[in-house]
Amino acid sequence: MSDIGLDQARAKMAAASVHPIAIHVFERLYRLLEQDSDGFIHEADIDPLTDVTTLGDLRSVDSEASELMDGPADPTNISVVSARAHTPALAKTALVKLNGGLGTSMGMTQAKSLLPVHQGLSFLDVIAGQVRWARKRYDVQLPIVFMNSFRTEQDTLDALAKYPDLAVDGIALSMLQNQEPKLRADDLTPVSWPADPELEWCPPGHGDVYTVLQTSGTLEALRAAGIEYLNISNADNLGGSPSPEIAQWFADSGASFAAEVVERTEADRKGGAQVVRDGQIILRETAQIAPEDEAAAADISKHRFFNANNLWIRIEALRELIAKNDGVVALPLIKNHKTVDPSDKASTPVVQIECAMGAAIELFPDAVALHIDRSRFLPVKTTNDLLLMRSDIYALTHSFNLVAQATEPLITLDPKHYAFIADFDERFPQGPPSLLGARSLTVTGDWIFGADTTARGEAVLRRGRHDATDGQSQVIAAGAIITNEGIVNVDHA
């Protein structure tokens, strides 16, 4: 293949003032794309990850962090008694939150982290509460940096303005994710889309965090502030909160890199997993599973752990890796096939070049893993997840952690009526039903929930008789109970 596509992409990135190191990273991945390697990690070449330290084995530092709040949460007003004992590693830790997502799968056009997630608090409010509580409780500086995209940065900074003490002197609160051109699937040249030129660009995946840390100056600013460890996690995973126990475990391990891993369940059969190749822990993503290996990869009794995307990195080890490769962190290629306009499946097919930050584990020979429970893995990817987080299944602790009060029921909402956040909110005007007594809630059709409704057992709402004919919603009366046999007191909108 000629260099025409790469030359055009480089010129387009340079014209948009993309940092030269980010362009070099793109060049490397483009060359891998040209080779058309399948990128598979074959079952015959790997072993399961088995020998993993468990979070429950670590000594708890502070019982107050798990005490439930007895009133409304207010992240702007936190008062605690300092207790610095046993937290030396946390004093040398900084948090990095990946915050470039728009929540387009839920119909959002702003930063997903602005979405109210519990008690009217947004993801950003809860994160700010977690950080400010930990700083006061443990008497640490605990810098936090958000990696934003050009679509989320201003909204995020505006929302965080209510927490003027969140930024640490000398360390910017935000660093801007890079952008790269989407490539035509037929010839790998940058796509042109005059109807909306912004759609010609895409983010490079969250593996871009290593490039942005260095090109933004954030890595050196953190090092100058005495920070030795980074804890990187997704902003939409409120389980990735500050942890003195894990920070100390990581510091004491001497490892350069650690991944928090979660035990897979039946619901996780189709996902990638943390595995071992030639004695090295690596990440095998779904796209890297060969068709003939799919059954073995889905065996959760064999491959027990998946990556929670809560990562710990020793700053000096990352600096050495960056210096050794002239600024390029050599992550595996992920090919993402889409259309230039995601909302128009008839628009030009494109390839987006991406890489995953968790894949960096294979670049550190001394990397380790930590088996965590689901309390540190609370992602919100769909409105099914959001309903759970807003419900009485979860409660806030004094440390602004969300803890489950019962086993999470399986939520399945009709995607036709509930997938987008605007539609979802219209159908829960008085808030979610009580889910504490439910094992599942399945909603088929268009239902509007009244106040103080309750789901019990295997709760089911079947398609209403009006759905297929006149488009009317069915209204569930206030105080109604939903069971496996239906509901009582149904009115029509």
Side-chain angles (χ1 to χ4, degrees), residues 281-407:
I281 302 176
I282 66 171
L283 175 63
R284 180 171 68 168
E285 297 277 15
T286 302
Q288 296 170 308
I289 298 172
E292 64 270 20
D293 292 332
E294 288 178 359
D299 184 351
I300 62 175
S301 65
K302 179 180 183 181
H303 295 298
R304 292 177 52 203
F305 301 106
F306 70 87
N307 177 30
N309 243 21
N310 299 340
L311 306 180
W312 296 79
I313 304 176
R314 204 171 290 261
I315 281 183
E316 284 308 308
L318 180 58
R319 292 179 74 248
E320 290 173 9
L321 180 67
I322 288 170
K324 183 171 67 175
N325 296 287
D326 296 324
V328 176
V329 176
L331 299 175
L333 167 70
I334 296 176
K335 295 183 285 187
N336 199 343
H337 292 272
K338 293 193 174 184
T339 54
V340 62
D341 182 348
S343 66
D344 181 4
K345 300 306 178 186
S347 61
T348 306
V350 296
V351 176
Q352 296 181 192
I353 293 177
E354 300 181 9
C355 51
M357 70 173 185
I361 195 168
E362 68 182 57
L363 304 178
F364 297 92
D366 61 348
V368 293
L370 178 68
H371 175 198
I372 60 171
D373 59 42
R374 295 265 170 168
S375 67
R376 285 191 61 80
F377 183 68
L378 302 174
V380 176
K381 303 299 183 185
T382 68
T383 51
N384 294 332
D385 303 326
L386 184 62
L387 184 66
L388 273 176
M389 299 298 286
R390 288 184 176 179
S391 77
D392 54 4
I393 287 291
Y394 282 95
L396 271 177
T397 67
H398 284 292
S399 57
F400 284 83
N401 284 307
L402 283 156
V403 296
Q405 303 303 291
T407 301

Side-chain angles (χ1 to χ4, degrees), residues 205-256:
H206 45 60
D208 188 44
V209 67
Y210 305 115
T211 302
V212 178
L213 278 166
Q214 56 172 316
T215 59
S216 66
T218 300
L219 197 63
E220 292 308 311
L222 291 170
R223 183 169 175 262
I227 298 301
E228 298 180 18
Y229 316 110
L230 300 178
N231 177 204
I232 309 177
S233 61
N234 294 328
D236 67 356
N237 172 24
L238 295 177
S241 58
S243 171
E245 296 93 344
I246 298 179
Q248 198 60 53
W249 164 81
F250 179 61
D252 294 343
S253 74
S256 301

Side-chain angles (χ1 to χ4, degrees), residues 6-17:
L6 179 56
D7 289 344
Q8 291 179 358
R10 278 191 296 226
K12 186 168 185 171
M13 294 174 78
S17 301

Side-chain angles (χ1 to χ4, degrees), residues 18-26 178 211 214-215 322 326-329:
V18 176
H19 196 282
I21 291 178
I23 297 177
H24 291 324
V25 172
F26 176 85
N178 288 299
T211 302
Q214 56 172 316
T215 59
I322 288 170
D326 296 324
V328 176
V329 176

